[in-house]
Amino acid sequence: AAWCVRWAAPFATGPSGVAARRVSPLRRPPDQSLLVRASFSSAAAEASAAITSGLEAFAAAKTAPDAAVALRQIYDALPHDDFALDELALDDTARTTLSPEFKLDAYRQLAARRDDASLWTPDTIESFKSLRAELDPLRTTDLAGYLSVAGFLGGLYYVAALAVQWFLPEIFPSVYVFLAALFAAPIAFVFILS
């Protein structure tokens, strides 16, 4: 009988004969959530425009102070609470924040000028590191070369470990640790030294 009550509850009518619909206290009415999402979408569009403007200023920078101003403009435009903004999106088509592709492309544009010595002072280096933490936290740009061959190397190391386990089982534990360290070394190198 309890299933009948649960099933019929959405169809129950109120005193005026109109269907009474219970709204969960955890859900916002649809009009408010659309309004909030629209404001976050416009904020993301504004942030995107400001970041693009900062990237253009950084590309045109000739001195370290100009580069520092452009880096600061980019950092200030970034939304720093992406997790909270993503929670508002109900599906992938309703994303309200900057896309990961946009962030990665912005970082790549910044990284393209790392060799220009006239732009880098200790302050701009720290600003660049802060932006890298926001735009490319997993360092995929720095690891792109290694990541392109990591699957192949991992397979080779796995086959080598199997061969050692089969033919020389007494040294397998040390070989396994060595191969795991060898596989992880480039990733650790990038995270520690950069």
Side-chain angles (χ1 to χ4, degrees):
W3 66 272
C4 290
V5 172
R6 276 187 265 140
W7 180 79
F11 304 109
T13 57
S16 63
V18 178
R21 185 168 175 189
R22 283 189 281 161
V23 176
S24 168
L26 299 177
R27 292 180 61 191
R28 273 188 228 133
D31 55 334
Q32 287 180 356
S33 65
L34 291 176
L35 198 81
V36 169
R37 192 177 319 154
S39 69
F40 280 128
S41 295
S42 66
E46 290 172 13
S48 175
I51 290 169
T52 303
S53 171
L55 289 171
E56 291 169 357
F58 185 75
K62 302 288 184 207
T63 63
D66 295 340
V69 168
L71 292 173
R72 184 64 189 183
Q73 179 184 355
I74 295 167
Y75 187 81
D76 288 342
L78 285 172
H80 299 286
D81 194 11
D82 283 350
F83 180 73
L85 295 176
D86 283 342
E87 290 297 302
L88 293 173
L90 300 177
D91 55 24
D92 288 339
T93 60
R95 278 195 77 91
T96 56
T97 61
L98 300 173
S99 70
E101 294 82 16
F102 178 81
K103 289 181 177 183
L104 196 56
D105 185 52
Y107 173 72
R108 287 179 177 152
Q109 290 180 30
L110 293 173
R113 294 204 62 195
R114 283 192 283 196
D115 295 334
D116 191 353
S118 65
L119 299 179
W120 302 107
T121 63
D123 292 336
T124 55
I125 290 171
E126 287 303 313
S127 296
F128 178 78
K129 286 181 178 180
S130 297
L131 280 172
R132 180 183 57 208
E134 292 285 331
L135 297 172
D136 188 18
L138 298 178
R139 313 262 171 62
T140 55
T141 302
D142 297 335
L143 288 169
Y146 179 69
L147 292 175
S148 67
V149 297
F152 178 72
L153 282 176
L156 280 176
Y157 295 161
Y158 181 74
V159 169
L162 283 177
V164 169
Q165 185 180 21
W166 185 262
F167 295 111
L168 301 166
E170 62 276 355
I171 65 166
F172 173 73
S174 57
V175 170
Y176 179 80
V177 170
F178 172 74
L179 290 175
L182 190 63
F183 184 78
I187 298 169
F189 178 77
V190 167
F191 274 93
I192 291 171
L193 294 182
S194 61

